[in-house]
Amino acid sequence: MAKVAVLASGSGTNFEAIAQDLAGGPHGVALLVCDKPGAGCLARAERLGIPSVVIPYGKGGTPEVRRAAEDQMTAALEAAGADLVVLAGFMRILTPFFVGRWKGKLINIHPALLPRHPGAHGIADSFASGDPELGVTVHWVDEGVDTGAILAQRSFPRTPDLSLEDAEARIHALEHELYPAVVRRLLESLS
Ligand code: GAR
């Protein structure tokens, strides 16, 4: 059995999609790590019976503060026996030190067709761009922001009547299909 740990900051719909997809199978979600006390992903973890830990980054965001939080995260991930670490709406930029520790085992989902529209506003930026296609990307995490090698993408064509709300709903639905499939494939290759 291979174990995945999920890092999230927000609602946790991708975390839940992955957990539901793996439920009942040989692989499983061993841990949720969240940097935001009270975030929705924590309630989902409790409902799903998945252990969770809150590791706030505190104020300042200095390299020392980030490094201390990441050391705690690595300790929690190692204690959980994580074979794969999945960023699912984890809205922190990880230091090269953390990325180096988990390189080759660390993936992210981004709500746009990378390399276009990296950063914190992938949906709004791709919607505003007028690009003929919108979509989602799962990629390995490297030291850059949304720059790692692409594992998988899914897209849909923009229609003239597409609203921002429609685009958000389509993108989230694609994420919930694509991310569990990629995670499952990677866990199977590890076991
Ligand atoms: C997802 O749309 C994910 O792609 C995005 O945050 C959302 C988290 O939703 N991540 C980024 O924008 C990273 N740059 P969720 O908490 O419901 O899974």
Side-chain angles (χ1 to χ4, degrees):
M1 169 188 163
K3 293 180 183 172
V4 58
V6 178
L7 273 56
S9 303
S11 167
T13 62
N14 281 283
F15 157 65
E16 179 157 1
I18 291 165
Q20 299 285 14
D21 180 70
L22 294 176
H27 312 301
V29 181
L31 182 68
L32 171 76
V33 178
C34 176
D35 63 312
K36 289 261 164 50
C41 56
L42 293 164
R44 290 182 198 269
E46 191 169 356
R47 175 163 49 75
L48 293 163
I50 293 172
S52 64
V53 59
V54 181
I55 301 179
Y57 271 54
K59 294 212 188 315
T62 62
E64 294 73 22
V65 164
R66 291 163 69 200
R67 179 69 188 271
E70 290 180 355
D71 284 349
Q72 283 185 58
M73 292 202 300
T74 286
L77 295 169
E78 287 173 345
D83 302 297
L84 180 69
V85 178
V86 165
L87 307 183
F90 187 71
M91 303 308 272
R92 299 277 180 179
I93 295 173
L94 295 162
T95 68
F97 186 81
F98 183 88
V99 172
R101 165 63 185 84
W102 294 99
K103 204 157 201 175
K105 298 178 175 180
L106 184 61
I107 65 173
N108 181 43
I109 191 158
H110 184 72
L113 291 171
L114 294 172
R116 292 182 62 69
H117 315 302
H121 308 290
I123 298 179
D125 292 347
S126 53
F127 184 78
S129 72
D131 287 355
E133 297 264 326
L134 291 87
V136 306
T137 304
V138 178
H139 63 95
W140 294 108
V141 175
D142 68 7
E143 288 77 6
V145 177
D146 301 326
T147 51
I150 291 172
L151 276 158
Q153 289 184 308
R154 291 285 182 280
S155 66
F156 60 92
R158 180 195 296 269
T159 51
D161 58 342
L162 187 79
S163 67
L164 177 59
E165 292 70 29
D166 294 338
E168 283 171 347
R170 298 268 323 251
I171 284 169
H172 290 312
L174 277 186
E175 289 186 322
H176 299 158
E177 281 174 32
L178 182 63
Y179 215 7
V182 173
V183 168
R184 179 188 284 268
R185 172 159 62 84
L186 290 175
L187 292 177
E188 282 166 1
S189 77
L190 287 168
S191 59

